[in-house]
Amino acid sequence: RFLIWTQSAFAQLDKIFGTFTQESAVKKGFMLPAPQLTNCDVTRIMRSEEVRRALKPKKLTQKKASKKAQPSNGMKNRRLRLRLNPFAKKDQIQSKGLRANKDGVRAR
């Protein structure tokens, strides 16, 4: 949203909301919250000795290689279908024999 503030509106802000050190004149007991971070140089803070001493030491264990994703559709993947249903192999052989009989070819 595009807002246009007048000079008198800016002058009223300190009276309505107060400042970091003075309470508001309109809102009873309201004071602007103080900023939590007084030093904005976060990278310098993270690299400081005080912070590094408080951190746990780095673990030296090797990362495990990610396993290959397992197939999830047993209807399309033959190996998974046989693992899920061992009878599927016999069923497949029987269905091939039935198809061969329909064509007039003798099944062996």
Side-chain angles (χ1 to χ4, degrees):
R1 294 182 183 184
F2 180 69
L3 298 174
I4 298 176
W5 291 75
T6 61
Q7 188 175 4
S8 60
F10 267 109
Q12 293 291 320
L13 286 177
D14 286 342
K15 190 166 103 177
I16 296 171
F17 293 106
T19 61
F20 294 120
T21 56
Q22 295 176 347
E23 288 186 358
S24 168
V26 178
K27 295 181 171 193
K28 195 172 189 179
F30 182 79
M31 186 181 250
L32 282 177
Q36 296 294 318
L37 187 65
T38 55
N39 188 352
C40 295
D41 193 7
V42 178
T43 56
R44 188 179 62 81
I45 293 172
M46 287 173 39
R47 292 179 181 163
S48 68
E49 276 302 312
E50 294 87 10
V51 173
R52 288 188 176 245
R53 272 188 251 130
L55 295 175
K56 292 181 181 177
K58 187 176 180 180
K59 294 182 181 178
L60 298 175
T61 58
Q62 292 181 350
K63 293 182 181 179
K64 293 182 180 178
S66 62
K67 293 184 178 179
K68 192 174 181 182
Q70 293 289 328
S72 59
N73 188 352
M75 298 298 285
K76 292 182 179 179
N77 190 297
R78 183 173 165 261
R79 286 189 186 132
L80 179 62
R81 183 172 55 244
L82 291 176
R83 193 173 353 132
L84 293 173
N85 181 11
F87 184 72
K89 188 172 185 179
K90 289 184 181 179
D91 190 31
Q92 185 180 15
I93 292 170
Q94 285 179 351
S95 66
K96 280 185 181 178
L98 290 176
R99 275 189 262 141
N101 283 339
K102 285 183 184 177
D103 293 338
V105 179
R106 196 188 295 180
R108 293 183 185 186

